[in-house]
Amino acid sequence: MQVVIVPTPAEVGRLAAAKIGHLVRGRPDTVLGLATGSSPLAIYAELARQVAEEGLDCSQVRAFALDEYVGLPPEHPESYRSVLMRDVVEPLGMDPSNVHVPDGSAADVAAACEAYEAQIAETGPVALQILGIGANGHIGFNEPTSSFASRTRIKTLAPQTRADNARFFDSPEQVPTHCLTQGLGTILDATTLVLVAQGETKADAVAKMVEGPVSSMCPGSALQLHRDANVIVDEAAASRLTLADYYRYTFANRPAWQRFETPRG
Ligand code: GLP
């Protein structure tokens, strides 16, 4: 796992976006895994700047969302389809028909999950998966005790996750109780993982993910099993890492061939 500690939340976004921009320039129809939530917003803002000011072309990029609420119509402003269209697809000039989101309003949920996995398998592998982490260690919507072998499926949202996401809705009761999410096994199939976290509220989850045991109680710890997992955090989110100085030293002294912007593998 490569852990990179940077001073500010904006710098987290800049560094992750540098890696993604490099990938898209090298392969314009690359397959990205998109995450929602507040954490990746700085990445999308920086990529939008590269599109506007540096000629980055995302029009051929293909993308798969990590997850979607169950029970919200796709046109609901807080469905992850709507959020991704608003925050990512439009500002980056992506083609909406290249962007896939699990169908949270499907009558046959199991079939919708299977179809999503089949679509990823046909188009993929996902070259780079963007991730955030929940305060309880979830990635995507893989709540604690999720199997490391799991694939796209329906999950019940943890009470803490519903409370955390209530800020996007008019009242806490409006937060859906269920979601469809790529499984941990699906996420681990991506060639490169880039997880970003900012702020003190994520410090515990980050420490457990990076330095704790590999455990389904902290789904983010699955990243320890991946050969190209990159964790980019600001100082506040890094504040409970016991080996923070070692990560800083490692990054400062990385060999030229391991420059962060250059995707490995
Ligand atoms: C959300 C999403 C995750 C996200 C996490 C943290 O509910 N399903 O993909 O990484 O919870 O969210 P935030 O970045 O807003 O803290």
Side-chain angles (χ1 to χ4, degrees):
M1 199 184 281
Q2 175 164 234
V3 182
V4 185
I5 303 171
V6 294
T8 62
E11 188 63 9
V12 172
R14 199 203 60 76
L15 203 52
K19 194 171 178 73
I20 296 163
H22 180 88
L23 189 68
V24 173
R25 284 185 175 87
R27 175 148 188 200
D29 68 344
T30 197
V31 184
L32 293 182
L34 300 176
T36 50
S38 311
S39 306
L41 289 177
I43 304 178
Y44 301 137
E46 169 59 19
L47 285 172
R49 191 200 62 75
Q50 289 185 27
V51 168
E53 296 175 14
E54 295 172 4
L56 178 69
D57 180 7
C58 292
S59 62
Q60 296 175 61
V61 169
R62 296 166 291 167
F64 287 90
L66 269 179
D67 44 18
E68 177 60 290
Y69 288 118
V70 166
L72 291 187
E75 63 279 5
H76 188 287
E78 292 309 325
S79 77
Y80 281 171
R81 170 173 288 282
S82 297
V83 170
L84 287 173
M85 291 298 154
R86 199 165 59 227
D87 292 347
V88 188
V89 176
E90 254 178 63
L92 269 58
M94 292 168 68
D95 179 347
S97 68
N98 286 338
V99 180
H100 309 282
V101 184
D103 183 0
S105 19
D108 186 341
V109 165
C113 293
E114 238 175 82
Y116 198 61
E117 283 285 331
Q119 216 168 13
I120 296 174
E122 194 181 310
T123 316
V126 170
L128 186 147
Q129 175 66 56
I130 300 167
L131 295 165
I133 187 163
N136 65 359
H138 75 237
I139 56 174
F141 268 137
N142 292 281
E143 300 285 23
T145 73
S146 288
S147 161
F148 281 26
S150 52
R151 312 302 302 188
T152 303
R153 67 218 186 286
I154 189 166
K155 285 292 284 181
T156 307
L157 296 176
Q160 182 179 352
T161 304
R162 292 189 70 221
D164 287 348
N165 286 2
R167 67 190 192 279
F168 297 113
F169 293 84
D170 291 336
S171 71
E173 302 75 52
Q174 287 177 19
V175 184
T177 53
H178 291 79
C179 64
L180 304 186
T181 180
Q182 286 189 29
L184 294 173
T186 320
I187 293 169
L188 290 174
D189 281 348
T191 307
T192 294
L193 304 178
V194 174
L195 185 145
V196 291
Q198 303 97 335
E200 168 70 25
T201 54
K202 299 294 174 69
D204 247 346
V206 166
K208 285 186 180 130
M209 164 178 68
V210 175
E211 296 179 344
V214 173
S215 163
S216 64
M217 285 301 282
C218 177
S221 67
L223 267 66
Q224 295 181 31
L225 302 173
H226 195 276
R227 67 188 285 264
D228 191 14
N230 303 270
V231 174
I232 310 175
V233 292
D234 67 358
E235 290 287 349
S239 58
R240 298 207 188 120
L241 288 169
T242 59
L243 298 181
D245 285 343
Y246 172 65
Y247 308 136
R248 289 192 190 93
Y249 175 85
T250 305
F251 188 61
N253 291 290
R254 69 200 187 284
W257 51 266
Q258 214 184 33
R259 271 170 48 83
F260 184 75
E261 290 78 4
T262 309
R264 271 176 272 159

